[in-house]
Amino acid sequence: MNLRPTIDFLLNDWLDTAALAQRERFADHSRETFDAVLDTCERIAREKYAPFNRLVDTQEPHFDGEKVILPQATHDANRAYAESGMLSAAQDYECGGMQLPYSVEAAANAFFACASVSIGSGMLTTGNANLLMTHGTALQKEVFAKNEFAGRWSGTMCLSEPQAGSSLSDVATRAVPDGADFESDPLGPRYRLKGNKMWISSGEHELTENIIHLVLAKIPDADGKLVPGTRGISLFIVPKKLVNTDGSLTGVRNDVALAGLNHKLGWRGTTNTLLNFGEGKFPVGQGGPLGNGAGAVGYLVGQPGKGLQCMFHMMNEARIGVGIAATMLGMAGYYASLEYARNRPQGRPIQSGSGGAVKDAAQPQVPIIAHADVKRMLLAQKAYSEGALALALYCARLVDEHHTAGGATADDARLLLEVLTPIAKSWPSEWCLEANSLAIQIHGGYGYTRDFPVEQYWRDNRLNMIHEGTHGIQATDLLGRKVLMEDGRGLQLLGARITATIQKASAIPTLAEHAKVLGLALQQVSKATKGAWSTGNPTEALANAVPYMQAFGHTVLAWIWLDVACKALQTDPQQGHAATQGRIGATRFFFHYELPKIGAWLAVVESRDQTCADMPDAAF
Ligand SMILES: Cc1cc2nc3c(=O)[nH]c(=O)nc-3n(C[C@H](O)[C@H](O)[C@H](O)COP(=O)(O)OP(=O)(O)OC[C@H]3O[C@@H](n4cnc5c(N)ncnc54)[C@H](O)[C@@H]3O)c2cc1C
């Protein structure tokens, strides 16, 4: 529907992405090559993803005792995605990549998320391989990362355990050296792993020849004890099937067993698994440090004890990816409910008459889009999802700046990303989920049935506040770490960018009032940040971290909308195009209906309100 023009406007008019082609890394690129990538992804998403979104929801993955069965459509979509080259799009030409800017890659992936987030594109595989390209040895890159980029193998991220979700310091999977020669394995220091990993996405399937698990585990000390905290966590490559140094399979299955599939609320096209590592179900050899061949063979990545740092290396992009998934589900619901609202006749216009509002039953019914309340729900969805998309692409551009701008610009981009990433992940997770709820509301009773797509969007989207750091954890990260880091320089940088937009918008009559209001909001956020930390007591400061993140996020989104509106009016001052009217309408909506909410959120932050923290357990 409107997605491509929206992406084109944001990438080209607003972010001037073509200017990246002036950088050495992107020198072979141009607006034309970026468009070609978008065209291809849009087409594959339309042909291989969108038609099967409901099918993958109803035909959940199942285990037949030997294999996990997924619909043929998932295999086809997966193959088409790999063949498009998107798995390695950002990589060097020598690695078979396209040296594509991350902002274009992120925009192109948005088409898949909009068409069927549930089938999934290659986010985990790309993330896994990218991590190895940064932290792996030359052979680990050659053997594991390159086969993942080629789509021959896929990747997972195995962090969570049944007893260790948000608190990764409590990871209990153990890794012990595998024999006296463990350090001389060409694929990396070889260990045997034992433990359980919970919630592992794409942990088992037959979509690819092999699955490369990246696993967090602890190496016990000389007394056999695990080092408490995150310091003791290391990272290992654990292939499902063991491989030779030339990338061929050895024919030996590694000791990684599927303990069960999780049956999810949504996002059912992708398997989610409990994996047992090293329980001896698939012994490798006969002896080994755990006896009888038990223990999953794993190769250390990077230094022992630095596993979490390696994982966090890819977190910014992974979190922007989650934000885009949430955003695109919001967008899909918006498009579905917009179409429905245009076609559903119900009710008549309100007219003034004696005794208040009256309706003329002799008149034909109007489509529900004619009712102000339905327009409110549509505008909210538009403001949430298009605003979130703009934020995601802005952050993706910061990734490009960080990687290729050099000097102070690159460093500023790094720091701004630190501050904005919790918002890029969490804000769409909350508000584009709300958008999905409004899409159901617009459908009335029909929205509550499986005959319309919107209930699935809501179910699929409900995950995003939970994984990749829950809402509460992201909020603590924002208020407890990000706004304080480097003496608050990240927050100052953000303030400077917001102020620049305010100055620009102040000179445009349509936007001048919004500019003033945004200035006040920025002051409120700054005051509340100081208030929260005024006693220096983290327990008091962080008790209201989520309301803080909500207010911070709404202020950021108001800034993004105002900046987008400036560009829209610069290109179409008379608002002659419906798209410009739409952008100005959404900006106005955000400033009138959404931004005022920050007052209530920030009040409890600034006063360090302890209502929640003080509530005794027994009083609930
Ligand atoms: C469908 C799905 C896919 C997933 N995919 C993967 C994957 O591929 N790889 C992987 O490793 N993991 C994956 N996860 C796991 C996911 O990252 C965890 O579920 C998440 O980190 C939360 O952990 P938990 O479920 O143990 O909840 P808990 O950590 O027990 O949290 C429960 C609640 O308590 C709150 N809470 C916990 N600690 C604190 C605290 N200190 N302060 C304030 N509040 C707190 C949380 O915010 C949350 O609301 C996936 C999860 C799901 C549901």
Side-chain angles (χ1 to χ4, degrees):
M1 277 177 97
N2 292 320
L3 181 56
R4 182 60 187 269
T6 301
I7 285 182
D8 283 344
F9 173 82
L10 292 174
L11 274 187
N12 300 320
D13 298 277
W14 187 50
L15 293 174
D16 189 18
T17 306
L20 285 172
Q22 287 156 15
R23 305 248 167 96
E24 197 186 331
R25 178 160 184 83
F26 308 125
D28 292 341
H29 282 292
S30 61
R31 166 88 194 254
E32 284 69 35
T33 63
F34 296 156
D35 281 351
V37 171
L38 296 178
D39 290 346
T40 304
C41 292
E42 194 179 6
R43 179 181 53 74
I44 299 173
R46 187 174 57 242
E47 292 173 359
K48 301 284 183 190
Y49 281 70
F52 308 105
N53 191 41
R54 177 59 85 177
L55 181 134
V56 299
D57 186 61
T58 50
Q59 293 183 17
E60 249 189 293
H62 68 276
F63 184 53
D64 70 358
E66 215 174 294
K67 291 182 170 144
V68 171
I69 313 292
L70 285 160
Q72 183 58 38
T74 307
H75 289 259
D76 296 343
N78 202 62
R79 192 171 317 112
Y81 186 84
E83 285 170 359
S84 74
M86 283 302 287
L87 286 168
S88 60
Q91 294 301 314
D92 295 353
Y93 295 129
E94 298 92 79
C95 297
M98 302 181 216
Q99 297 195 182
L100 197 67
Y102 179 65
S103 26
V104 181
E105 183 188 349
N109 277 328
F111 291 111
F112 300 102
C114 193
S116 178
V117 86
S118 186
I119 292 178
S121 45
M123 199 170 95
L124 276 169
T125 299
T126 307
N128 175 311
N130 282 348
L131 184 152
L132 291 176
M133 291 306 284
T134 307
H135 298 286
T137 64
L139 195 62
Q140 287 173 343
K141 291 179 200 176
E142 191 62 33
V143 173
F144 298 108
K146 286 199 180 166
N147 277 309
E148 291 186 67
F149 285 136
R152 187 181 156 209
W153 301 343
S154 53
T156 72
M157 297 287 172
C158 303
L159 292 79
S160 309
E161 298 182 0
Q163 82 300 341
S166 301
S167 179
L168 287 174
S169 56
D170 292 295
V171 157
T173 298
R174 303 167 78 93
V176 294
D178 186 18
D181 65 342
F182 79 101
E183 278 178 310
S184 57
D185 195 306
L187 289 174
R190 195 182 61 242
Y191 288 74
R192 290 292 187 118
L193 276 71
K194 186 165 169 33
N196 314 108
K197 289 289 174 181
M198 183 56 166
W199 305 118
I200 305 310
S201 296
S202 301
E204 182 60 75
H205 55 73
E206 302 293 320
L207 294 170
T208 49
E209 180 193 62
N210 202 359
I211 302 174
I212 309 305
H213 303 291
L214 279 179
V215 183
L216 291 183
K218 289 187 172 179
I219 303 170
D221 63 17
D223 301 330
K225 295 209 182 85
L226 298 183
V227 180
T230 52
R231 278 179 304 116
I233 299 178
S234 304
L235 180 65
F236 300 88
I237 299 169
V238 183
K240 172 180 160 184
K241 298 173 184 171
L242 293 174
V243 306
N244 293 307
T245 51
D246 64 357
S248 59
L249 301 184
T250 64
V252 176
R253 168 84 198 242
N254 202 358
D255 195 11
V256 184
L258 176 71
L261 290 172
N262 292 312
H263 300 287
K264 293 174 287 177
L265 176 72
W267 215 306
R268 292 181 181 162
T270 305
T271 56
N272 189 270
T273 56
L274 171 58
L275 297 178
N276 289 348
F277 289 80
E279 64 177 0
K281 184 164 181 187
F282 300 106
V284 180
Q286 306 201 324
L290 305 177
N292 300 328
V297 174
Y299 307 99
L300 182 71
V301 181
Q303 297 301 310
K306 303 269 187 231
L308 211 53
Q309 275 115 304
C310 293
M311 274 289 186
F312 276 119
H313 171 89
M314 51 151 299
M315 284 303 181
N316 280 346
E317 288 170 45
R319 287 178 175 166
I320 295 170
V322 170
I324 291 179
T327 299
M328 285 302 120
L329 283 163
M331 199 79 90
Y334 167 51
Y335 293 152
S337 60
L338 177 58
E339 190 181 333
Y340 185 84
R342 283 176 171 151
N343 291 301
R344 167 73 174 168
Q346 199 70 198
R348 293 169 177 81
I350 298 170
Q351 296 169 346
S352 50
S354 58
V358 294
K359 292 176 185 176
D360 181 356
Q363 291 291 316
Q365 297 200 87
V366 292
I368 58 171
I369 197 169
H371 303 305
D373 189 54
V374 174
K375 288 187 185 178
R376 174 188 63 81
M377 293 190 277
L378 288 168
L379 255 177
Q381 291 179 70
K382 183 178 171 69
Y384 297 152
S385 38
E386 290 185 9
L389 179 60
L391 173 65
L393 295 180
Y394 187 89
C395 289
R397 177 56 175 269
L398 289 178
V399 172
D400 288 325
E401 297 297 318
H402 174 39
H403 290 158
T404 62
T409 310
D411 196 53
D412 284 357
R414 171 194 62 79
L415 194 54
L416 258 176
L417 258 181
E418 292 282 5
V419 177
L420 284 175
T421 305
I423 304 301
K425 190 268 172 183
S426 298
W427 197 87
S429 301
E430 180 170 2
W431 298 98
C432 293
L433 180 71
E434 175 61 16
N436 288 151
S437 181
L438 292 170
I440 294 173
Q441 191 69 19
I442 286 180
H443 281 73
Y446 299 94
Y448 197 64
T449 71
R450 275 170 279 166
D451 299 321
F452 287 81
V454 283
E455 60 83 31
Q456 186 187 343
Y457 298 143
W458 186 89
R459 284 188 290 107
D460 288 350
N461 218 351
R462 191 59 190 81
L463 173 62
N464 290 313
M465 283 172 79
I466 297 172
H467 69 160
E468 280 291 342
T470 63
H471 224 49
I473 297 298
Q474 294 289 341
T476 307
D477 186 44
L478 178 69
L479 181 56
R481 206 167 71 83
K482 296 297 179 65
V483 297
L484 305 177
M485 67 194 288
E486 299 184 25
D487 295 326
R489 197 166 71 82
L491 197 55
Q492 285 161 17
L493 272 174
L494 179 64
R497 298 228 173 168
I498 294 178
T499 304
T501 300
I502 290 171
Q503 280 165 0
K504 207 166 37 173
S506 302
I508 303 173
T510 315
L511 304 178
E513 184 58 28
H514 298 334
K516 207 164 90 194
V517 173
L518 182 58
L520 295 174
L522 186 59
Q523 282 172 20
Q524 276 177 280
V525 170
S526 168
K527 201 158 152 263
T529 312
K530 289 193 186 98
W533 283 107
S534 58
T535 57
N537 178 344
T539 312
E540 283 182 12
L542 298 177
N544 298 299
V546 166
Y548 179 78
M549 183 168 73
Q550 290 172 308
F552 196 104
H554 261 51
T555 305
V556 166
L557 262 292
W559 159 55
I560 291 285
W561 266 118
L562 192 62
D563 209 71
V564 165
C566 286
K567 181 51 75 177
L569 287 179
Q570 190 188 328
T571 43
D572 179 15
Q574 302 306 320
Q575 298 192 46
H577 299 286
T580 313
Q581 293 160 19
R583 289 185 183 111
I584 301 307
T587 306
R588 193 171 151 204
F589 175 87
F590 203 85
F591 276 84
H592 290 184
Y593 289 73
E594 293 294 329
L595 193 58
K597 291 177 182 170
I598 69 167
W601 288 323
L602 290 177
V604 291
V605 176
E606 194 181 339
S607 64
R608 299 176 307 288
D609 191 304
Q610 299 298 299
T611 305
C612 303
D614 288 348
M615 185 77 172
D617 185 333
F620 282 101

